Amino acid sequence: MVEAFVRLLCPECGKDWESGPSELPGHRANFSCPNCHATRRLAEFMRTESDLNTVKQFE
């Protein structure tokens, strides 16, 4: 079984990282960057549309 992951990118500080979609809140929920603590909707941290779709599948 292949484990899913999504790529995130902070729109404020540019930090990029990966996370498992089951570890994240819903795509419309507020989420904070672990680096600069900027808070936005999780969807705004997704690097690609594919990453956003993966998160939606796990909601």
Side-chain angles (χ1 to χ4, degrees):
M1 181 177 194
V2 176
E3 187 173 329
F5 69 92
V6 293
R7 296 175 305 154
L8 300 108
L9 175 67
C10 178
E12 296 278 331
C13 71
K15 175 181 174 56
D16 63 332
W17 70 100
E18 295 177 353
S19 182
S22 60
E23 300 169 2
L24 298 169
H27 72 284
R28 291 188 175 121
N30 282 340
F31 183 76
S32 296
C33 172
N35 191 49
C36 72
H37 306 291
T39 301
R40 296 176 181 226
R41 289 185 306 155
L42 178 63
E44 295 182 46
F45 285 89
M46 296 294 115
R47 291 194 76 163
T48 65
E49 198 68 30
S50 176
D51 293 321
L52 179 58
N53 290 334
T54 301
V55 168
K56 288 179 180 179
Q57 289 177 358
F58 281 82
E59 289 182 352

